[in-house]
Amino acid sequence: MSDTRQRLIEAALEVLRERGLSGLSARTIAAAADANQALIFYHFKTVEGLIEDACRVTVDAAVAAHRDRFATAETLGDLLAVGREIHATELAAGRVTISAQVLAGARSSEVLARAGKHALDTWIAEIEPALARVLRGTPIAEIADLPGLARAIAASFIGLELYEAVDASGSASALDALERLGILADVVTDLGPVARAAFRRRLRSKS
Amino acid sequence: MSDTRQRLIEAALEVLRERGLSGLSARTIAAAADANQALIFYHFKTVEGLIEDACRVTVDAAVAAHRDRFATAETLGDLLAVGREIHATELAAGRVTISAQVLAGARSSEVLARAGKHALDTWIAEIEPALARVLRGTPIAEIADLPGLARAIAASFIGLELYEAVDASGSASALDALERLGILADVVTDLGPVARAAFRRRLRSKS
DNA sequence: GTCTATAGAGGGATAGAC
DNA sequence: GTCTATCCCTCTATAGAC
């Protein structure tokens, strides 16, 4: 992979992070990469082609980098801690912003829709088995729809990222609240046999 | 309020819904409103000014229209049913899309950031007291951070909307999963005294 | 692979007639 | 309030020299 190509990808991500999709153009990317504008079209055919490639590269690399951490989680408490850690890393690196911006552009571009779907699908493919593993044998696994839950979690982080951009303190308190709710789920997975039986009975009568 | 002004607002919302933020311009709005382009600047000074006004008007109207339904919810189960209903209405009307697009534009425009924040704040102001009312006296209220939880819910719906645009069936399964998780929360709020005491003890030892 | 130059479309915004 | 006409800018993308 040529050096310029790599620099253009990094520049595209940088602009997307800092100025959003509407601040992104062949000109702004080329300026950030300190490269000639025409090279974008030489290397990627179109600006959207560059965004798609850049999005794919970062998401794949980010998920691969966290794969080992996901695998260490054995309980729901572990997984919540891992999730918190990964979220902090990804947010600080601005990679959630990139996914959010690409997803927002999905309405006007099939290419961006494909890239945004790939980003979410890639994360979901990690979250879902981890969730299944830590919930196996708990009362939550009996009622929860795990594939759907993994999807809800991935999508929610995108929403929280957009919220963060307009209200950082509100977004922080939302994350704290989810963390505390995780403690509650942890309690349910960890009930003693008597309480657990009562819980199960209630659950059956409801669903 | 002049007729043209009103038509421009509706046209702006229509374009935002159907073509997203990047498909929005003075020209596309004017075409959709069947009005002269220059009138946008006469009535709203700038295109962003129009978007801000349009966003404010819809969000305020939508929240006001649902206020009575929120007030009817007395239990968590009620509130979940109301939430599901409101979400379906808002999604079908395309109003969640509008908020999502405006929020995505927040990174490149202070005006859009203000409008997006207003949209979320307005919804949160309805969700938070309703949540507090239905959870009063339940074990969940002891552990949950209600203001943060209300914020997390509002933000998550934005994320789910963006997900919906790229994967409708995935998004549907995510919503189903959250609904099922709501049943679980409902069970916790509704435990008998013995199970409840056991649950409380567990909760204290964790937090 | 990299550059300059430019075509050609579309963007925001304004001046000024009516 | 509404219209036409227009300025000037930025955009994607390509042609063609090096």
Side-chain angles (χ1 to χ4, degrees):
Chain A
M1 175 139 59
S2 95
D3 183 53
T4 302
R5 197 187 144 88
Q6 187 59 35
R7 263 170 40 233
L8 285 172
I9 285 182
E10 271 153 30
L13 295 171
E14 182 190 322
V15 174
L16 209 47
R17 244 190 334 259
E18 284 163 19
R19 299 168 53 179
L21 195 61
S22 66
L24 193 92
S25 74
R27 282 165 162 80
T28 55
I29 296 168
D34 200 20
N36 190 285
Q37 197 219 122
L39 291 174
I40 290 172
F41 303 97
Y42 172 77
H43 285 288
F44 302 94
K45 310 280 185 209
T46 65
V47 172
E48 283 187 351
L50 164 53
I51 302 176
E52 188 183 13
D53 273 22
C55 186
R56 240 187 175 73
V57 165
T58 12
V59 169
D60 290 352
V63 170
H66 293 301
R67 192 160 291 145
D68 293 346
R69 290 290 289 129
F70 265 122
T72 63
E74 290 300 331
T75 68
L76 183 59
D78 291 347
L79 187 57
L80 284 167
V82 169
R84 204 162 53 231
E85 190 187 311
I86 291 175
H87 179 250
T89 307
E90 291 304 299
L91 199 73
R95 286 188 286 256
V96 191
T97 308
I98 289 162
S99 297
Q101 290 295 316
V102 169
L103 278 167
R107 266 217 154 56
S108 55
S109 151
E110 283 189 23
V111 178
L112 295 187
R114 205 165 50 226
K117 178 162 163 37
H118 174 259
L120 282 177
D121 284 348
T122 306
W123 278 106
I124 290 165
E126 296 296 314
I127 298 169
E128 191 179 331
L131 213 49
R133 195 174 62 244
V134 302
L135 291 179
R136 190 169 296 140
T138 70
I140 292 181
E142 290 172 35
I143 184 82
D145 163 27
L146 296 186
L149 198 55
R151 281 158 180 76
I153 290 169
S156 295
F157 278 126
I158 299 294
L160 283 165
E161 149 66 26
L162 291 176
Y163 184 34
E164 210 262 339
V166 301
D167 186 351
S169 74
S171 156
S173 88
L175 280 167
D176 284 351
L178 290 180
E179 205 177 311
R180 290 178 74 81
L181 216 60
I183 294 177
L184 196 131
D186 221 14
V187 168
V188 173
T189 64
D190 215 26
L191 288 174
V194 177
R196 195 160 174 154
F199 191 85
R200 277 216 168 84
R201 271 196 302 279
R202 270 281 165 195
L203 210 52
R204 294 226 173 82
S205 71
K206 283 268 182 181
S207 57
Chain B
M1 175 142 55
S2 94
D3 183 52
T4 301
R5 197 188 145 88
Q6 187 60 34
R7 264 171 39 235
L8 285 171
I9 284 180
E10 271 153 29
L13 295 171
E14 182 191 325
V15 175
L16 208 47
R17 246 190 332 261
E18 283 163 22
R19 300 168 52 179
L21 197 60
S22 66
L24 192 91
S25 74
R27 282 165 164 81
T28 56
I29 297 168
D34 201 20
N36 190 286
Q37 196 218 124
L39 291 174
I40 290 171
F41 303 96
Y42 173 77
H43 285 289
F44 302 94
K45 310 279 185 212
T46 65
V47 172
E48 284 188 350
L50 164 53
I51 302 176
E52 188 183 13
D53 272 22
C55 187
R56 242 190 174 71
V57 165
T58 14
V59 169
D60 290 351
V63 170
H66 293 301
R67 191 160 291 146
D68 292 346
R69 291 287 289 129
F70 264 122
T72 63
E74 290 299 331
T75 69
L76 183 59
D78 291 348
L79 188 58
L80 285 167
V82 169
R84 203 162 55 232
E85 191 188 309
I86 290 176
H87 178 250
T89 308
E90 292 302 300
L91 199 72
R95 286 186 286 255
V96 192
T97 308
I98 289 162
S99 297
Q101 290 295 317
V102 169
L103 277 167
R107 267 217 155 54
S108 55
S109 152
E110 282 189 24
V111 178
L112 294 187
R114 205 165 48 226
K117 179 163 164 36
H118 173 260
L120 281 178
D121 285 348
T122 306
W123 278 105
I124 290 165
E126 296 296 313
I127 297 170
E128 192 179 330
L131 213 50
R133 194 175 62 244
V134 302
L135 290 180
R136 191 169 295 141
T138 71
I140 293 181
E142 291 172 32
I143 184 81
D145 163 27
L146 296 186
L149 198 55
R151 280 158 180 77
I153 291 169
S156 294
F157 278 125
I158 299 293
L160 284 164
E161 148 65 26
L162 290 176
Y163 185 34
E164 211 261 339
V166 300
D167 186 349
S169 75
S171 155
S173 89
L175 280 166
D176 284 351
L178 290 180
E179 204 178 313
R180 289 178 75 80
L181 216 61
I183 294 177
L184 197 131
D186 222 12
V187 168
V188 174
T189 64
D190 217 26
L191 289 173
V194 177
R196 196 161 173 152
F199 191 86
R200 278 217 167 85
R201 271 194 303 278
R202 269 282 165 194
L203 211 52
R204 294 223 174 85
S205 71
K206 282 267 181 184
S207 56

